[in-house]
Amino acid sequence: MAETGKPSYKFNKSKIKVPMREQKPEDRIFNFEEVPLGYTEEEATCEGQRCIQCKDKPCVSGCPVGVDIPAFMRLVGEGQFEAALRKIKETNFLPAICGRVCPQEDQCELVCNLNKPQQERQPGGVGRVERFLGDYAMEHGLNVTPQCDSPTGKKVAIIGSGPAGLTAASDLCQRGHDVTVFEALHKPGGVLFYGIPEFRMPKAILVREIDGLRQMGVKFVMNYPVGKAESLKSIRDRFDATFIATGAGLPWFLNIPGENLNGVYSANEFLTRVNLMGAWRFPETDTPVKDIKRIAVIGAGNTAMDSARTSKRLRPKKVYLIYRRSRLEMPARAEEIHHAEEEGIEFNLLHAPIRIIDDGTGAVCGIECQEMELGEPDASGRRRPVPIAGKTKIFEVDTVVIATGQGPNPLLTADVPELKRDARKGTIIVDEKTMQSVTWPDVFAGGDIVTGGATVILAMGAGRMAANAMHSFLMTGTTQTA
Amino acid sequence: MVNKIVAARLLAEKTMLFEIEAEHIAQRGRAGQFVILRVSEPGERIPLTIAHRDVAKGTITIVAQEVGKTTRDLNALKAGDAILDLAGPLGRATAIPEGGKTVVCVGGGIGNAVVWPMATAMKEAGNRVIAILGARTKDLLILEDEVRAVSDQVIVTTDDGSYGRKGLVTEALQGLIDEGLKIDECITIGPVIMMKFVCKTTQPHGIRTLASLNPIMVDGTGMCGACRVTVGGETRFACVEGPEFDGHLTDFDELMKRLAYYKPEEARSLERAEHACRLQQAADQLLAERDR
């Protein structure tokens, strides 16, 4: 098959993506299995053939890790799945994960030349094809571990095994460095393990992708909270360069009365209990989550959708989603919002929680909200919600999950006050091109610990940028590559 | 083998001491800090305070009382077994006075295991250490010799008077105050209700009192907030900001309610494990009879 020139197929001129089959809402709310069922080989091929192989490739620059999207779309269109997988793995070693959790509609698919909503033309289904390839590798037991460069003799420490850490680990290992990843929890994957629910991304996929890294030679040390188990200074002494990717694990609360009542969880606690500890299978597992009759999830980002949809599967009578702004401002992905609504989650927009109510025993029996309306735009450009005088509403619930955001994880940074951080946000200050800390040349940081709570793919992009600069630093002593 | 148990010893009914190989925790750990462990797949994560460290041997010692399924599984382990997952040292170390102070350490039940490292650190810093160790009855008193070895004075109380003084630790503490002893600092660890009343005993006398809190934790690294406690009207995470807080500012009643929240589930989990155990025993017995 020619590497250049026209693909050996006719383009598929359909205006819409090949639909992906999904579990029906009435079925899936009773299980934790994945909602979208993935493409068959035929479906993937058809979707690959929708890519018009344009010259300017806006999708590639729309991808935070710069995947050569037209190349793999074309190979899939030609039915060359293994070659397509190799192509994607040149730049992205986690296609099965990215295909599921990336916000493609804001990235590659947004800028796709096919994307013409006014003509009802949809972009190429990049995410769906990417996911297909990841799953294809898994189903066929394909081992496409990239070839690593010959050993450089340089040792790299990666602190945190979430998306930023895993990406940097993969890139640096490929370039021949000796990479060790330190993880505080007992399972690797960070937010991919404790945060993203099973029905959005099965853990088996994550486990497999991480096994791939191990096969490449990346070492993983679990149960090792750097800053506690070992100081950053000692890590720096032992390694030639260090990448801090400890994420945004610090849950924010609302600072309203009643927040410490029994039945109030941070989204982190709720999702960690269910995802990492497997509480949805209690008592087969040892970590419980309370039986829920009526639950309010506060917030409207992806974490709020994950919490609401997770709780739905624990079979409550009612799941409310409460958000102080309007639908337009909801930060979650459109697909997540759509899935949540399909599953019967009741959205209560323009409601701001003001207090959580005690049932008299120290447990939650309700949450009182101030009703809001939209006023003038604020600094973020979003219309500011303002209270409607005298209008409040009480939701009778036994559980409240607060999903209004997370701050940078303080466990490591608390140990090294000299590491320069943003005074207000607590995020580590780095050069934004190289991810090199402004404090020490051998210390880099990226992902949510630098940006505050963001997305998986942005963290992966930061991991990639850091890996490039770290490689340069390790080989030449400077991050200046040009 | 990682996290290998090098010694396991029954201290009292349902209370085991484990010495575990964990070199980095032995080196980095300080009095008052804890570990999070998991015994088996798919087990839960539980916090246990480090009772002792042996830097030369690279071991730490923990003491566990069987109260639920996880501690039941843990206490079934023997020397030569390994702890599946062990992370630490977590939390902040006890703030130790620089020396020359009179410190009273008040422990109750399983909490006496933590009086041991606290008293050790206090003594090493050159303070005068008085330990008050409480237990329901003589047989449940643990680690008395170890605490005696690092204390200037030890007072033992038992609820039933079977050993030491009959009565509560608060009465012994009140006795010291009434005798006119100048106490610079008090530190307490044990059942929440006991710590609450220790703090009530010292408060009128303005004796600075630290309480080592034991809320439910999941990750133990500041990520979930399950362990949040109210101290001085503010929410604090015991896992990263504690576990020790100013006892006069701590909302013990809230802590007690939060600790009780999962009691029904804990009972269910334990009952299920015991049921499985009984079934296994019955099956073993039937097989043994058949083979006979």
Side-chain angles (χ1 to χ4, degrees), chain A residues 171-326:
Chain A
D171 285 8
L172 289 162
C173 184
Q174 274 187 57
R175 286 172 181 173
H177 304 298
D178 180 358
V179 178
T180 305
V181 179
F182 297 98
E183 167 57 49
L185 295 174
H186 58 274
K187 299 275 189 205
V191 72
L192 300 170
F193 211 113
Y194 75 76
I196 311 258
E198 180 76 16
F199 57 83
R200 269 226 288 145
M201 195 194 64
K203 301 285 171 268
I205 289 166
L206 178 65
V207 167
R208 189 194 140 90
E209 302 283 24
I210 288 171
D211 281 348
L213 283 182
R214 284 203 175 95
Q215 280 169 26
M216 275 168 67
V218 175
K219 285 167 267 190
F220 285 86
V221 180
M222 298 298 116
N223 298 306
Y224 206 80
V226 174
K228 291 292 183 183
E230 182 173 351
S231 69
L232 179 63
K233 182 180 183 307
S234 164
I235 293 275
R236 290 178 60 213
D237 288 345
R238 291 204 286 138
F239 292 87
D240 299 299
T242 300
F243 181 51
I244 302 173
T246 46
L250 179 71
W252 287 340
F253 286 87
L254 297 167
N255 292 316
I256 59 172
E259 232 166 2
N260 291 350
L261 291 172
N262 281 332
V264 182
Y265 299 85
S266 71
N268 267 5
E269 179 185 353
F270 186 70
L271 292 173
T272 298
R273 281 182 181 271
V274 179
N275 294 326
L276 177 69
M277 308 310 296
W280 56 285
R281 292 190 288 130
F282 180 84
E284 282 171 50
T285 57
D286 296 343
T287 307
V289 65
K290 275 278 172 181
D291 282 338
I292 299 167
K293 291 195 181 65
R294 307 166 83 86
I295 176 172
V297 175
I298 316 302
N302 289 324
T303 308
M305 297 303 150
D306 285 346
S307 302
R309 296 179 64 204
T310 295
S311 71
K312 186 73 189 179
R313 285 156 174 76
L314 302 172
R315 311 195 182 186
K317 289 201 182 104
K318 194 85 191 172
V319 182
Y320 300 108
L321 188 109
I322 295 176
Y323 181 47
R324 68 194 183 100
R325 296 179 188 257
S326 76

Side-chain angles (χ1 to χ4, degrees), chain A residues 382-441:
Chain A
R382 300 187 296 182
R383 288 180 67 190
R384 186 199 304 272
V386 289
I388 305 172
K391 288 195 83 174
T392 64
K393 181 173 174 183
I394 290 174
F395 295 87
E396 285 179 20
V397 293
D398 54 25
T399 306
V400 173
V401 171
I402 296 167
T404 49
Q406 290 96 232
N409 199 326
L411 196 66
L412 170 73
T413 48
D415 182 58
V416 271
E418 59 274 39
L419 183 62
K420 289 197 183 65
R421 286 180 292 150
D422 182 282
R424 194 173 55 85
K425 291 187 287 187
T427 47
I428 297 176
I429 302 175
V430 298
D431 178 288
E432 57 185 44
K433 289 213 167 54
T434 64
M435 301 285 138
Q436 188 174 36
S437 73
V438 297
T439 316
W440 296 301

Side-chain angles (χ1 to χ4, degrees), chain A residues 50-72:
Chain A
R50 283 189 66 236
C51 173
I52 54 172
Q53 300 293 318
C54 59
K55 290 266 159 40
D56 53 337
K57 303 181 185 179
C59 52
V60 179
S61 32
C63 172
V65 297
V67 170
D68 189 351
I69 291 163
F72 84 72

